[in-house]
Amino acid sequence: MPSENCVLILEDDISTRLIVSKSLTVQGINSIVAANIAEAEALIPKHDICLFLLDVHLPDGDSTSLVATLRETHPLVPILIMTGDYEQNRVSEFFDLGVRDFINKPVHPILLASRVSSFIRSYATEKALFEANEMYQRIAHEKEQEEALAHYVYNHILKVHTTKIAGLDVAIRSSGRFCGDMLLSAKAPNGSLIVMLADATGHGMAAALTIYPMVSTFAAMVSKGLSLGAILRELSSKHNQSIPQNRFVAAILLEISPKDNSLKVWNGGMPAALMFDKAGELTKVTSKNVAIGILPEDLISTKMESFELSDIKKIALFSDGLIENKVIDGRNIPFSEGYDIIAKNLDDSHGLLSLMHGYELFEGESSDHDDMTLAVLDLELIQEELREEEPEDLQIPGSFDFSFELRGSSLNNEKFAFSLSDLLSTYGFNKEFCQKVFTVVTELLVNAVDHGIFNIPSNLKEEDFITYLSMREQKKANVSPSDKVMIEVKWDEIEHTLFISLGDSGAGYKVENIETADDTAAYGRGIKLITSLCKTFFYDQEINTTHVSLKY
């Protein structure tokens, strides 16, 4: 019987095998290793493999033949290629064979593990949907079993992609097992909580399938630390790629950011969000945008309404099924009255849904209730949970500082950031903080080397990614001994703050250009990610040095 889910690592270099397998083990990912194609072919039937991580050039051949076989035997399992070979014809060849992504050698262990984890999660969702679809094909002739299947898929997706957090109360009343509403929430790397309530056109199975493709996109974009505007555009892009043009998704997105004391709201075609301040005063955040799917992603507005988080106590989001077509004593109630009823009954969300369900107006012979979803967010409770707790045991040694200077070909040492975070862990810093340092130092190094020293245009990533990779490899091969990066790390025991300074011998960069860049661009995200993770950020243009600090 095959063993539990694991990653197959096919790599002939023993050092790389050990680095990759160890980085996966640290993240709780099981792996099996093979040094050549023959060993891999012998191992594959004995294991339930959830991802293939393959080298290209192996002692007994090229992995293209194995990739072609795997696409037939394991059609859903993602395949990632580890290679330093970024020639355009090879990249195109592997993508044509069905490879999902490329990992550049030498690998970043933590980034590699993070990317592998992301693909495994996507595979789990795709597999669940595939299995559910197969099940549906077998039982579609029986309505009760069909509804049970829909209920399984719906609950599975919610479970995988929704973060449970104190202060977020959700009540759902579906018109059937297939629900066209979806409430998703996820924590971003900068400590914010992103919440989305979506309502697809119509209800039932068609409405539910309209929303499902957006679920994994939402989770993936939030985990990458993208802005709310960038997440919105990715959702729009995914919808336009997957769903017919006559199907739309009304949605409301929130970003709750204790760090910035801000609440950002984007409302596209949904009822007004009801926002209550500390004095109990009500503000309605009405829709100022069209539903997702009406406009192409490059035309959709990403302008957010922003409020001071400390002023707000509670906010309620709900789908239009809770407020539309309601009749009391034979008269159609206006939305204003419906909002008042909702505002007065938020303490009993399930009772409120039953109450509004009883007011439903049916036209003609129709007796189809619309889906109803209500999410009530207690922002004080949510902030308490989002706020990072102080570690119980802060046995960090006294203040220290050290500096590094990378010169010439040592700039190609892509394991430096990992080694630095590993060094800090030996001082007693927790894993989460070390990972944050790793991300910040990695982004600073990439910015300094690629754009400062190598002088590669940032926008080239978006305009011609293959050319960007080729140029980078050429620059790495011809790095000058006079090229250098200077790094200083200082721990202040009194302030419980880590200070990092990084300068380079290159031409530097323009901070204002990055700050005004589109959030959806392939460039400029690194600095924005750094600023979201750090307590302070300052770039000294005169000495071409970036200074950041991270609070522990």
Side-chain angles (χ1 to χ4, degrees), residues 67 71 79 81 86 88-102 465-466 469:
V67 171
R71 286 301 72 184
I79 301 174
I81 295 296
Y86 276 100
Q88 186 170 356
N89 62 329
R90 294 314 311 268
V91 172
S92 175
E93 177 186 359
F94 275 106
F95 274 135
D96 289 344
L97 287 171
V99 168
R100 294 287 186 91
D101 205 353
F102 285 78
F465 188 63
I466 300 300
L469 293 173

Side-chain angles (χ1 to χ4, degrees), residues 225-475:
L226 297 188
S227 69
L228 204 57
I231 294 170
L232 177 61
R233 291 198 182 221
E234 290 289 346
L235 292 171
S236 177
S237 176
K238 182 66 174 181
H239 176 88
N240 291 341
Q241 292 172 9
S242 309
I243 305 300
Q245 294 182 354
N246 63 342
R247 290 284 173 178
F248 313 117
V249 177
I252 186 164
L253 286 89
L254 304 180
E255 180 178 8
I256 302 166
S257 177
K259 180 180 179 181
D260 298 330
N261 187 34
S262 68
L263 170 67
K264 295 179 181 177
V265 184
W266 184 90
N267 190 341
M270 291 286 280
L274 304 184
M275 192 165 62
F276 301 84
D277 63 17
K278 298 287 180 67
E281 294 296 321
L282 170 64
T283 299
K284 296 174 183 176
V285 186
T286 59
S287 171
K288 294 181 174 61
N289 305 282
V290 298
I292 295 173
I294 295 178
L295 296 174
E297 59 269 21
D298 58 337
L299 294 180
I300 193 168
S301 172
T302 59
K303 184 178 181 180
M304 309 292 162
E305 295 188 66
S306 186
F307 307 89
E308 289 194 10
L309 188 57
S310 57
D311 294 339
I312 307 165
K313 183 176 181 180
K314 183 184 297 184
I315 187 168
L317 320 175
F318 43 89
S319 57
D320 59 10
L322 191 64
I323 199 170
E324 289 185 344
N325 302 320
K326 300 298 184 290
V327 174
I328 298 178
D329 297 331
R331 63 181 180 85
N332 294 332
I333 65 172
F335 279 1
S336 59
E337 186 174 344
Y339 284 129
D340 289 340
I341 295 173
I342 293 170
K344 293 175 182 177
N345 292 274
L346 288 179
D347 290 338
D348 181 10
S349 55
H350 292 278
L352 175 59
L353 262 62
S354 296
L355 177 66
M356 301 304 279
H357 176 80
Y359 293 153
E360 194 86 3
L361 170 67
F362 299 119
E363 297 181 358
E365 298 181 355
S366 173
S367 60
D368 290 335
H369 291 272
D370 197 359
D371 301 318
M372 297 181 184
T373 299
L374 170 66
V376 182
L377 294 86
D378 186 323
L379 298 180
E380 292 178 336
L381 287 178
I382 289 175
Q383 287 183 80
E384 287 180 12
E385 183 151 338
L386 290 178
R387 191 176 297 116
E388 292 185 358
E389 296 181 359
E390 289 291 333
E392 295 181 1
D393 184 15
L394 292 176
Q395 299 299 322
I396 306 299
S399 300
F400 60 82
D401 59 85
F402 43 80
S403 61
F404 304 89
E405 189 169 291
L406 306 178
R407 296 185 296 273
S409 59
S410 66
L411 293 171
N412 298 329
N413 179 10
E414 298 183 352
K415 298 176 185 178
F416 175 80
F418 176 75
S419 299
L420 176 58
S421 64
D422 196 32
L423 173 62
L424 291 175
S425 69
T426 66
Y427 279 87
F429 292 97
N430 62 38
K431 178 181 177 182
E432 181 181 356
F433 185 77
C434 291
Q435 288 179 332
K436 188 181 293 186
V437 172
F438 171 83
T439 301
V440 170
V441 173
T442 297
E443 294 294 343
L444 288 173
L445 277 171
V446 169
N447 189 67
V449 175
D450 284 12
H451 310 312
I453 295 176
F454 291 168
N455 198 27
I456 302 175
S458 298
N459 59 349
L460 190 60
K461 285 185 180 180
E462 187 171 64
E463 296 174 358
D464 191 342
F465 188 63
I466 300 300
T467 299
Y468 163 78
L469 293 173
S470 299
M471 183 180 294
R472 189 172 188 272
E473 290 304 306
Q474 182 180 6
K475 295 281 189 178

Side-chain angles (χ1 to χ4, degrees), residues 205-219:
M205 180 179 179
L209 291 179
T210 300
I211 293 181
Y212 286 165
M214 301 170 66
V215 177
S216 59
T217 299
F218 173 84

